[in-house]
Amino acid sequence: MKYKNAKNILPKELLTEIQKYIQGDIIYIPIQGKKISWGEKSGYKEDLNNRNKQIFNLYTLGHDISEIQDMFNLSKSSILKIISKIKNSNPSLGGVVNE
């Protein structure tokens, strides 16, 4: 979230009205309408989902966990969590993650 000076973006009358309630503090003004979840606006959420699918696909193709760790610079526990989460969200995949 980027800081913006109200003096530079709000009409003077509105700024004067807001100053009756708060001055010199930072306030959060929520988005009106549909709430955007974390990472949607920047595309980071989609990037992580794609990375996690790639990790899972490598695992299902038989790559070792340590090999996947090196490819993505993630810890073993992070790789195992990603694989387990995808398996648990798709019951047809079944089974327990093999270390």
Side-chain angles (χ1 to χ4, degrees):
M1 194 176 338
K2 187 177 176 188
Y3 168 84
K4 295 179 182 169
N5 190 329
K7 178 177 70 175
N8 298 331
I9 59 174
L10 297 177
K12 186 171 176 43
E13 303 79 33
L14 179 57
L15 180 59
T16 301
E17 188 63 27
I18 292 172
Q19 285 172 326
K20 292 178 185 176
Y21 301 92
I22 188 168
Q23 293 184 40
D25 288 322
I26 297 172
I27 62 170
Y28 171 75
I29 301 173
I31 294 173
Q32 188 177 30
K34 182 185 176 238
K35 185 178 178 182
I36 298 171
S37 67
W38 173 89
E40 281 185 25
K41 187 176 180 181
S42 68
Y44 190 64
K45 184 176 185 176
E46 185 177 350
D47 291 345
L48 280 180
N49 286 335
N50 290 335
R51 180 206 65 185
N52 292 350
K53 288 176 189 173
Q54 189 177 6
I55 288 170
F56 184 77
N57 289 337
L58 289 168
Y59 172 76
T60 58
L61 290 171
H63 290 266
D64 291 334
I65 299 294
S66 59
E67 186 181 355
I68 299 171
Q69 280 179 251
D70 293 340
M71 288 180 187
F72 293 93
N73 294 315
L74 292 172
S75 68
K76 180 178 182 177
S77 64
S78 293
I79 298 293
L80 293 173
K81 284 178 192 175
I82 291 166
I83 294 168
S84 291
K85 184 176 179 182
I86 293 175
K87 277 192 169 189
N88 291 336
S89 67
N90 297 297
S92 62
L93 300 173
V96 177
V97 176
N98 298 322
E99 297 181 36

